[in-house]
Amino acid sequence: MSETTGVRLRAPRHRISRKAIPYWTVRALPGWVVLLAIEIAVKVLPDDPPGTWLVAVIVATAVLALVHLAVMPSWRYRVHRWEVTPTAVYTQSGWFDQEWRVAPLSRIQTVDTERGPWEQLFGLAKVTVTTASAAGPLHIHGLDLDVARQLVDDLTAATEASEGDAT
């Protein structure tokens, strides 16, 4: 396919918003808090509480939570990238499992913007680019709202000018 379209898989140029780092931290926090609360409740509430092994589990969970909350958001920020050229959309995402995707503009079917409550709180948006690919849509997470709006406008104009039939 790359020989006919001139599109090659490569690292995209643009980083996402730095606001994605606190956003991912806040999103990950409730899961750890709930897990620690359950572990502490099991230790404190029964008449015959489990032994010291549960204290070790609580400490291990707390350490894992701190490491995860300190490392994951910055790591994801360094990995997540995007770029739109006159011929294609490039994305790179993930942190342990990393995904690089490219979609020729002629294959784009729809472009959507999504903003959940946490994304609205941080002024972020996610752009979804749907193509005819069996691999599914491309997602660009952690964009500033204004950047996301401009990206959707640019992709809409570019796909209207494209001669492909998006299949």
XYZ file of all heavy atoms in Angstrom, residues 18-19 23 26 28 30 34 49 51 61 66 77 84 93 98 100 102 121 127 137 141 154 159 161 166:
196
model
N 0.466 19.255 27.372
C 1.086 18.902 28.663
C 0.022 18.698 29.749
O 0.283 18.068 30.771
C 2.046 19.998 29.112
C 3.412 19.885 28.489
C 4.355 20.810 29.230
N 5.688 20.355 29.460
C 6.114 19.202 29.946
N 5.272 18.305 30.257
N 7.378 18.933 30.120
N -1.171 19.234 29.520
C -2.256 19.048 30.489
C -2.678 17.579 30.574
O -3.404 17.203 31.494
C -3.458 19.918 30.117
C -3.189 21.407 30.259
C -4.416 22.235 30.013
C -4.732 22.348 28.551
N -5.821 23.266 28.225
N -4.059 15.070 33.842
C -5.310 14.379 33.493
C -5.163 12.866 33.692
O -6.008 12.241 34.342
C -5.676 14.709 32.044
C -6.696 13.802 31.421
C -8.027 13.848 31.795
C -6.324 12.873 30.456
C -8.963 13.003 31.230
C -7.246 12.031 29.882
C -8.558 12.087 30.274
O -9.479 11.253 29.710
N -4.894 12.027 37.483
C -6.184 12.075 38.170
C -7.070 10.909 37.754
O -7.782 10.337 38.573
C -6.870 13.437 37.917
C -8.319 13.427 38.366
C -6.093 14.548 38.601
N -6.118 7.900 36.905
C -5.619 6.642 37.476
C -5.794 6.580 38.988
O -5.838 5.481 39.566
C -4.139 6.470 37.122
N -8.349 7.172 41.263
C -9.472 6.504 41.952
C -9.332 4.979 42.031
O -9.708 4.382 43.048
C -10.693 6.896 41.110
C -10.309 8.160 40.455
C -8.827 8.048 40.197
N -9.504 3.076 45.668
C -10.505 2.043 45.963
C -9.818 0.747 46.395
O -10.215 0.117 47.391
C -11.427 1.805 44.745
C -12.267 0.549 44.919
C -12.306 3.024 44.499
N -8.630 -9.911 62.521
C -8.031 -9.412 61.276
C -6.898 -10.313 60.780
O -6.248 -10.986 61.564
C -7.488 -8.034 61.674
C -7.349 -8.071 63.143
C -8.340 -9.055 63.651
N -3.269 -11.479 59.327
C -1.954 -11.217 59.900
C -1.163 -10.140 59.178
O -1.700 -9.336 58.418
N 0.923 -2.417 47.616
C -0.061 -1.717 46.783
C 0.209 -0.217 46.775
O 0.158 0.428 45.722
C -1.490 -1.999 47.290
O -1.726 -3.412 47.256
C -2.530 -1.292 46.433
N 2.108 4.582 43.921
C 2.963 5.772 43.811
C 3.848 5.705 42.572
O 4.002 6.708 41.869
C 3.806 5.936 45.082
C 3.029 6.336 46.337
C 3.941 6.343 47.566
C 2.385 7.703 46.145
N 2.925 10.727 28.020
C 3.112 12.017 27.348
C 4.276 11.944 26.354
O 4.189 12.502 25.262
C 3.364 13.114 28.381
C 3.705 14.431 27.750
C 2.717 15.201 27.145
C 5.016 14.900 27.734
C 3.027 16.408 26.544
C 5.334 16.101 27.143
C 4.338 16.848 26.549
O 4.647 18.040 25.939
N -0.685 15.465 10.993
C -1.481 15.398 9.769
C -0.660 16.029 8.660
O -0.173 17.154 8.809
C -2.822 16.138 9.924
C -3.579 16.146 8.597
C -3.654 15.502 11.016
N 0.702 6.006 20.175
C 0.072 6.041 21.494
C 0.509 4.853 22.332
O 1.157 3.936 21.848
C -1.457 6.051 21.349
O -1.879 4.877 20.708
N 2.826 -0.012 22.800
C 2.805 1.201 21.984
C 2.305 0.868 20.587
O 2.618 -0.186 20.044
C 4.196 1.811 21.916
C 4.680 2.265 23.285
C 6.057 2.889 23.241
O 6.592 3.162 22.183
N 6.618 3.117 24.419
N 1.695 2.474 16.635
C 1.913 3.475 15.608
C 0.919 3.198 14.508
O 0.807 2.074 14.043
C 3.313 3.379 15.025
C 4.433 3.721 15.958
C 4.460 3.547 17.319
C 5.678 4.279 15.597
N 5.659 3.960 17.812
C 6.430 4.410 16.782
C 6.236 4.675 14.401
C 7.706 4.931 16.793
C 7.521 5.181 14.425
C 8.235 5.317 15.608
N -1.057 4.851 10.772
C -1.115 5.832 9.709
C -2.368 5.544 8.891
O -2.699 4.384 8.637
C 0.159 5.803 8.829
C 0.389 4.452 8.215
C 0.111 6.891 7.767
N -12.756 19.072 32.399
C -12.131 19.715 33.554
C -10.719 20.208 33.215
O -10.299 21.274 33.668
C -12.088 18.735 34.728
C -11.492 19.246 36.031
C -12.383 20.336 36.624
C -11.330 18.110 37.016
N -9.723 13.252 19.587
C -10.183 13.223 18.206
C -10.113 11.777 17.723
O -9.099 11.104 17.893
C -9.326 14.140 17.299
C -9.695 13.954 15.845
C -9.495 15.588 17.727
N -10.599 2.680 14.268
C -10.300 4.110 14.152
C -8.976 4.484 14.802
O -8.475 3.781 15.666
C -11.475 4.757 14.872
C -11.972 3.735 15.817
C -11.698 2.402 15.172
N -5.484 11.239 21.706
C -5.883 11.628 23.060
C -5.074 12.832 23.520
O -3.962 13.057 23.075
C -5.615 10.471 24.036
C -6.385 9.235 23.750
N -7.599 8.989 24.331
C -6.120 8.194 22.954
C -8.053 7.819 23.901
N -7.164 7.316 23.061
N -9.438 21.004 9.884
C -8.438 20.731 8.839
C -8.682 19.370 8.175
O -8.583 19.241 6.958
C -7.024 20.769 9.426
C -6.604 22.169 9.853
O -7.302 23.145 9.493
O -5.586 22.280 10.575
N -10.273 16.004 3.722
C -10.961 14.825 3.194
C -11.987 15.212 2.122
O -12.242 14.434 1.205
C -11.660 14.024 4.313
O -12.512 14.894 5.044
C -10.647 13.399 5.228
N -11.467 17.486 -0.025
C -10.657 17.719 -1.224
C -10.027 16.439 -1.762
O -9.548 16.415 -2.899
C -9.559 18.727 -0.910
N -12.891 6.541 0.399
C -12.857 6.149 1.813
C -13.222 4.695 2.058
O -13.650 4.343 3.134
C -13.736 7.068 2.654
